[in-house]
Amino acid sequence: MHADYPIDQQLQGQIHLVTGATRGIGEALCWSLARAGATVLMLGRDEAALETLYDGLMAESLPEPVIIPLDLETLTLDAAEELAGMIETHFGKLNGVIHNAALLGSRTPVASIKSKEWERVQRVNVDAVLYLTQGLLPLLDATENATLVLTSSGVGAKARAYWGAYAVSKFAIEGLAQLLADELENTSSTRVFCIDPGATRTSMRAAAYPGEDPMDHPEPAQLMPFYHWLLSMDSQPQRGQRIKARLDR
Ligand code: NAP
């Protein structure tokens, strides 16, 4: 497909998997990609919330989404490979994976981090991203010009006091994205991106900064042109890069 084809038309008929689909940026992605004509594979651990989202999309006569009820804390490589088999059987392709789900965990000094919470955060924010990527990469690679998006944060590039397990998990994501970008650069048409959405009006942001006014930050819907651009061929020149979200595209 040619890069100057309008972005939203490029997404028409595509298949995209979004993790953390139940709220925040992930929920906005499901609406926005479906409105651009894509079939969204909505992964989350709250099945009731996924069903509500499914009903909403169907009520707008958007492409029928797929509910994938999975808890990323306990995800195994076997489960990810099984998911890949299901997607291949039903759709025969996968145009994009947006690793969006994450756990914030507690804001605490390193000296006080509890091992159980450390493990939960690393399992959701890092291990599940690795297993899902390992499981889905063959299908992405078999699909021409697919996109693999890993989600970091400002504290994944420059740690700040008390960001604990979350900051370390995002540093790991930055490393994983760099590895994948380098490994796939000459062997695959799959574009890898590591993105930092920036301060966004979601429940995660409110939990991290309870004292601030949420209205000071853009809502998830305002980031959608940026995500559409990422998933389109227009992002090809930035392939492999770490990118901070911009509201002007
Ligand atoms: P959010 O509102 O807290 O949403 C997080 C999503 O992840 C929810 O759908 C949540 O599901 C899901 N999730 C958490 N644990 C899960 C598990 N074990 N299994 C399956 N799903 C799970 O967060 P957000 O603000 O939209 O953030 C989206 C991404 O952007 C994250 O990677 C975050 O680190 C990154 N980010 C956000 C900001 C910001 O200001 N918002 C800034 C920088 C980076 P439940 O509904 O079941 O909990």
Side-chain angles (χ1 to χ4, degrees):
M1 190 177 292
H2 199 267
D4 60 13
Y5 200 61
I7 286 173
D8 282 1
Q9 284 182 37
Q10 293 183 35
L11 300 179
Q12 180 89 33
Q14 293 197 346
I15 314 292
H16 290 280
L17 185 137
V18 176
T19 73
T22 47
R23 57 191 161 88
I25 296 170
E27 182 184 7
L29 272 166
C30 294
W31 279 103
S32 166
L33 295 179
R35 284 178 177 144
T39 297
V40 190
L41 314 182
M42 311 185 302
L43 190 153
R45 61 181 166 178
D46 180 346
E47 205 163 344
L50 291 174
E51 279 165 7
T52 303
L53 188 52
Y54 175 97
D55 291 344
L57 266 60
M58 292 308 287
E60 278 201 19
S61 304
L62 297 173
E64 184 176 4
V66 177
I67 291 177
I68 303 175
L70 279 177
D71 185 344
L72 295 173
E73 200 178 325
T74 51
L75 183 91
T76 60
L77 178 56
D78 282 351
E81 286 173 340
E82 198 178 308
L83 174 62
M86 183 277 283
I87 298 168
E88 186 163 24
T89 303
H90 283 83
F91 301 104
K93 66 173 184 176
L94 182 59
N95 299 97
V97 174
I98 304 170
H99 290 290
N100 164 78
L103 266 188
L104 178 64
S106 314
R107 306 276 311 283
T108 178
V110 170
S112 311
I113 297 174
K114 302 271 184 290
S115 62
K116 196 154 184 71
E117 182 170 77
W118 174 273
E119 284 163 18
R120 283 190 71 207
V121 171
Q122 307 312 323
R123 272 198 219 119
V124 174
N125 296 7
V126 185
D127 299 5
V129 175
L130 172 67
Y131 299 146
L132 263 186
T133 301
Q134 288 178 321
L136 297 172
L137 200 51
L139 191 51
L140 286 171
D141 281 347
T143 307
E144 208 185 341
N145 298 318
T147 316
L148 181 59
V149 179
L150 281 73
T151 307
S152 185
S153 162
V155 293
K158 172 79 177 76
R160 290 203 301 277
Y162 315 129
W163 279 85
Y166 176 86
V168 173
S169 76
K170 294 299 189 183
F171 266 81
I173 284 300
E174 300 256 353
L176 183 57
Q178 287 177 23
L179 285 168
L180 286 162
D182 208 36
E183 290 172 10
L184 299 184
E185 189 181 4
N186 298 314
T187 58
S188 164
S189 65
T190 303
R191 298 187 303 284
V192 180
F193 296 103
C194 181
I195 61 140
D196 171 8
T200 310
R201 202 186 314 158
T202 66
S203 46
M204 182 183 287
R205 179 77 196 183
Y209 293 94
E212 73 179 12
D213 181 356
M215 301 309 281
D216 288 345
H217 304 298
E219 56 183 345
Q222 292 174 261
L223 297 182
M224 294 304 119
F226 167 74
Y227 280 90
H228 287 216
W229 168 81
L230 265 187
L231 298 174
S232 78
M233 283 300 287
D234 295 44
S235 66
Q236 178 74 8
Q238 275 78 40
R239 182 179 173 178
Q241 294 181 11
R242 179 190 203 277
I243 306 182
K244 179 114 196 267
R246 289 170 32 183
L247 298 182
D248 60 348
R249 68 174 162 218

